[in-house]
Amino acid sequence: MPELIKPTHKPIKAYYDSLEDRRKLKVKHEAGLRTAFFTLLNVTGKKRGWIPVENQDYRVPGPDRTLVYPDGTLRDDFNMPRGYWEAKDTDDDLDAEIRKKIKKGYPSTNIIFEDTRSAVLIQNRSEQLRADLANPQALCDLLNAFFAHTEPNIDTFEKAVEEFKKRVPELAKGLVEKIQDAHKTNPKFQKAFQSFFEVCRASLNPNLSIEAVDEMLVQHLLTIRLFHTIFDNEDFNQRNAVAAEIEKVIAALTSKSFSRDQFLKSLDRFYLAIEAASENLTEFSEKQHFLNTVYERFFQGYSVKVADTHGIVYTPQPIVDFMVNSVQEVLKQEFGLELWSEGVNILDPCTGTGNFVVNILNRIPKKHLPRVYAHQLFANEVMLLPYYIAALNIEHAYYEKTGEYEPFDGLCFVDTLDLIEYKALEQVEISYLTEKNAERVEREKKAPVTVIIGNPPYNVGQLNENDQNKNRKYDVIDRRVSRTYAQASQASNKNPLSDAYVKFFRWSTDRLQGRDGVIVFVSNNGFLDGVSFDGFRRNLASDFPLIYHFNFKGNARTTGARRKREGGNIFRDLIRCGVGVTVLVRKAERSSLLINYHAVDDHLSAEEKELYLMSHSSLSSVHWRKLHQDKRGFWLASAHSAEFDSFVPMGTKDAKSSKDHVASSVFKLYTGGVKSNRDEVVYDFDDAIL
């Protein structure tokens, strides 16, 4: 424990000397005087591991999320804010200024307000100490109380969850700095990391960056204690093959200049509340909800680019229920089978936190459960944190139903879109991180899958062209999309077919390998009427004679009256694209195409859509409208489409390439214009701005 600051210490004398020098120069204003106190905080804070940062923004809690800028924010070794400082002019009314700043939302957990004459220490929203700064002992008492402050333990589980969600970005940033330092100074860590990094590149993504693997370590360190706490699963690290591999790298990291115990101790105020509340969390769904929230908030708060390209929002339970109910119904009505029938092999190719698999497990009679769990259920995940959560969710669900703990060998840490093989297309041999994981992957690849269900990521590119955050390219599956969906399309712009969910539809169709089966996805619904998706729709119609689509609308990327009609997004308004559930049924005995369509009413909020879905438990409870695919590949054809086809087009490729002066279009020459994807950088009406 650091020794108390005393009036005889050098920083105290230096502070008074600095103030005296400024006063001799007739300096009275805040900007001229505050440097002295900032220097004092800097020198005394370093001995306690607190580093002051000037004018760092602080986001006020609440719906407006206003930014304020304390003169100083003191952060500890893990980048956590421990205290704040605000300087005022000597001529200011200090108490009036304090009231003004607190009303504006300045943090009041541990903050010093001072004007070089006096200082007030506010802790936990109330005044704790008022000091005459001309008195060295009073100044020392102020600083000692300031540096001794620790935030009180959180008294409820819900508050702990909220606080953890808010602090995740800061916690993660502090850990990243520790890891980056180890990359430079810790040979043992460098060696362990390089080995793990090479395996990750070979197993998950050949373009994987060092930063992405650093984030895996951050995810592991931030959440591993939660797994132990919520699920009382102390030996998760030993039982989970991937966690065990990462632990080797963590052990090397903690061998020098980083203490895991010290870091986790700094999180005690979050975890103690969680640990206390977890004793009363008897329902598995409550535990699952918390881990889902951590998963969602971690990626959206810290790994913004990962959230961008992977669509990190867990699937609302009513959608999961509807989709699994629909699978159950289709198996019964079309094939005379149950979820637990032998030969029904189920795969969730992008399992996230494992909610679909857990939902399925809860429907299987206990006598069939060991067989289905061990041989007929499969799930894949490519990101570490959701992979951990899925393992815990699924294994715990099985334990609750059987009273026995069994690892879920159907869960693979792998990129699903890599698991595709065609003799006509080259396929690079890849490893699968660990020997145990490789065994799981090989077993899954050999399984005759008949049901594929899940929530694939859906994002065609990136939020900002300058982010260098493009979706990963997959040579084999990209060529399959090109040779099927794109080749069958008459559209000029086929870029939307690069969306990840399109690749999952293609992968899943091929994964059935010609067998009868069912695919159920909740995804972006842009393919319903998108011009670029005519080939996509044609292929679905030829591959699956029975199709259902439940359209929840919610496209926030529209404007005006259309935007109002789209209403809220059923994913709790956390995503901006329209959403729909698609059920595709392949059955050799069916010869004619049947497309069933249903859409929610216009203008409904997210909550109203969720309630509406809950009143339609499965396919049989929905009033379906029969659709017919027209010659252009449209399912939702306008009533005036035949008349529209008779109009003279504005421009066509044939007319553009024709040498005749008379062409079958209004304009012979047309162009898409400048398509820089950096418009505001490349051109502007104002020279100075450009």
Side-chain angles (χ1 to χ4, degrees), residues 273-464:
I274 294 168
E275 287 163 356
S278 66
E279 297 174 4
N280 301 316
L281 289 178
T282 56
E283 293 296 322
F284 175 68
S285 59
E286 293 175 332
K287 301 175 180 181
Q288 206 177 5
H289 172 73
F290 171 71
L291 288 181
N292 283 340
T293 302
V294 172
Y295 158 70
E296 186 175 274
R297 290 296 178 261
F298 179 91
F299 281 106
Q300 291 183 330
Y302 171 62
S303 301
V304 177
K305 291 184 180 182
V306 175
D308 177 21
T309 53
H310 286 78
I312 302 296
V313 178
Y314 70 86
T315 314
Q317 197 58 44
I319 294 180
V320 178
D321 288 337
F322 177 82
M323 291 170 65
V324 178
N325 282 340
S326 298
V327 169
Q328 209 164 0
E329 192 173 281
V330 167
L331 287 173
K332 186 81 170 176
Q333 291 183 356
E334 298 295 328
F335 305 106
L337 298 170
E338 302 285 358
L339 280 171
W340 52 89
S341 296
E342 292 194 38
V344 175
N345 297 300
I346 304 170
L347 167 65
D348 181 350
C350 29
T351 200
T353 55
N355 295 343
F356 286 97
V357 177
V358 168
N359 195 293
I360 291 167
L361 286 175
N362 287 332
R363 296 165 187 264
I364 296 174
K366 188 174 179 179
K367 66 177 182 179
H368 299 292
L369 193 55
R371 168 176 49 82
V372 175
Y373 185 77
H375 304 293
Q376 294 172 235
L377 269 180
F378 303 91
N380 298 333
E381 181 50 50
V382 72
M383 289 184 294
L384 186 70
L385 178 55
Y387 166 81
Y388 281 171
I389 297 174
L392 285 163
N393 279 340
I394 294 166
E395 291 168 2
H396 198 80
Y398 182 81
Y399 171 79
E400 291 214 329
K401 291 205 70 173
T402 64
E404 298 178 2
Y405 181 91
E406 290 291 339
F408 179 47
D409 287 336
L411 179 63
C412 302
F413 189 44
V414 69
D415 191 328
T416 295
L417 297 181
D418 275 327
L419 304 183
I420 184 166
E421 293 179 357
Y422 294 96
K423 292 180 181 178
L425 294 170
E426 292 181 6
Q427 174 68 2
V428 178
E429 287 295 321
I430 57 176
S431 62
Y432 298 107
L433 197 66
T434 69
E435 185 176 342
K436 181 69 174 175
N437 194 51
E439 291 172 5
R440 292 182 176 187
V441 172
E442 290 304 320
R443 189 172 71 88
E444 180 193 303
K445 288 168 70 175
K446 294 174 183 176
V449 169
T450 50
V451 175
I452 299 175
I453 184 171
N455 175 8
Y458 27 102
N459 178 18
V460 71
Q462 56 190 337
L463 295 177
N464 184 335

Side-chain angles (χ1 to χ4, degrees), residues 5-24 33 36-37 39-40 116-118 131-143:
I5 302 167
K6 299 177 181 177
T8 54
H9 288 175
K10 288 182 179 178
I12 301 300
K13 183 177 186 304
Y15 167 70
Y16 286 116
D17 289 344
S18 179
L19 276 184
E20 185 60 28
D21 290 342
R22 284 162 172 72
R23 284 170 179 151
K24 287 178 181 177
L33 293 174
F37 203 89
T39 303
L40 176 62
T116 72
R117 295 175 306 177
S118 60
D132 176 3
L133 293 184
N135 182 333
Q137 186 59 58
L139 172 59
C140 292
D141 291 343
L142 174 83
L143 294 173

Side-chain angles (χ1 to χ4, degrees), residues 194-209:
Q194 188 59 34
S195 174
F196 181 66
F197 177 60
E198 289 170 2
V199 171
C200 285
R201 275 200 155 183
S203 307
L204 303 175
N205 182 347
N207 301 319
L208 200 67
S209 66

Side-chain angles (χ1 to χ4, degrees), residues 568-584:
N569 193 288
I570 196 167
F571 274 73
R572 307 180 306 283
D573 288 323
L574 293 174
I575 61 175
R576 294 179 56 78
C577 63
V579 172
V581 170
T582 306
V583 180
L584 305 171

